[in-house]
Amino acid sequence: MDQDLQGLQTAIASATHGMTADELMHHPEGKWSTAEVLEHLYLTYVGSVKGFERCLQEGKPLVRKPLLMDRMRAFVVTGLGYLPEGRQAPERARPHGMAPAEVTSAIGPQIEAMDGVITQCEDRFGKRTLVLDHPILGPLTARQWRKFHVVHGRHHIKQIRRLRETA
């Protein structure tokens, strides 16, 4: 497994270790709970797996021509490791009420599944090939996809830690 994604998996497990169902469901008014943050992350991993599987099924990368703004956004997130705040999650990545026990047990294996299918695409299409479009960052390589998920995950781990302190 990719070292950075394995680190993400460990960081998520560490941030939520020992939390009760009540603590996982606690949230300030108008904010997501830890369980909802985890479900959001889980849904992004599921979506990535589906996208990469489509690439494999079609036998080609599924990308549009990158725009200058795509390259700039991708550089900020995957190059500098900075995820700007304030953007709402796409509808398909918003939590729908997955049970806390279900999401905490499913998220680690889903990261592994995502890494596996990203590796398959990387092996098939090449390390430098833009493989799949991200809905905000545009076309990304397999390496950039991994980096996006690590940066995105760390952003939400900070939220989880803040929620844990207030629970």
Side-chain angles (χ1 to χ4, degrees):
M1 185 168 168
D2 175 79
Q3 183 178 2
D4 291 332
L5 287 179
Q6 190 166 24
L8 172 63
Q9 187 181 42
T10 301
I12 291 170
S14 175
T16 58
H17 180 74
M19 290 182 78
T20 66
D22 285 343
E23 289 170 330
L24 289 165
M25 295 301 294
H26 167 78
H27 63 91
E29 183 76 26
K31 300 288 185 181
W32 286 350
S33 67
T34 296
E36 289 169 320
V37 169
L38 292 174
E39 184 179 355
H40 163 68
L41 290 171
Y42 172 80
L43 292 171
T44 66
Y45 306 150
V46 168
S48 292
V49 167
K50 288 178 183 177
F52 281 101
E53 286 176 342
R54 278 194 323 274
C55 291
L56 292 169
Q57 288 168 355
E58 297 205 18
K60 63 181 182 180
L62 299 175
V63 293
R64 59 177 168 73
K65 183 177 167 95
L67 305 171
L68 177 60
M69 189 55 95
D70 295 328
R71 291 178 194 271
M72 289 173 27
R73 286 182 184 132
F75 174 73
V76 167
V77 176
T78 67
L80 301 177
Y82 174 73
L83 189 71
E85 297 203 19
R87 183 175 286 277
Q88 277 203 348
E91 182 62 37
R92 65 184 169 271
R94 291 186 192 157
H96 304 296
M98 203 170 172
E102 182 183 359
V103 74
T104 55
S105 66
I107 197 163
Q110 192 62 43
I111 292 171
E112 289 177 31
M114 180 179 67
D115 181 59
V117 73
I118 290 174
T119 299
Q120 289 177 44
C121 284
E122 191 172 47
D123 291 346
R124 186 163 180 185
F125 305 120
K127 292 185 182 283
R128 295 180 161 206
T129 303
L130 295 170
V131 182
L132 184 65
D133 286 343
H134 181 277
I136 297 163
L137 306 180
L140 300 177
T141 65
R143 182 178 161 278
Q144 287 175 310
W145 269 100
R146 286 187 187 99
K147 181 70 176 194
F148 161 74
H149 280 295
V150 169
V151 171
H152 180 239
R154 287 183 182 152
H155 166 80
H156 286 297
I157 288 168
K158 289 177 190 171
Q159 291 177 332
I160 290 169
R161 288 190 177 124
R162 285 192 301 264
L163 285 165
R164 190 171 187 154
E165 289 172 6
T166 64

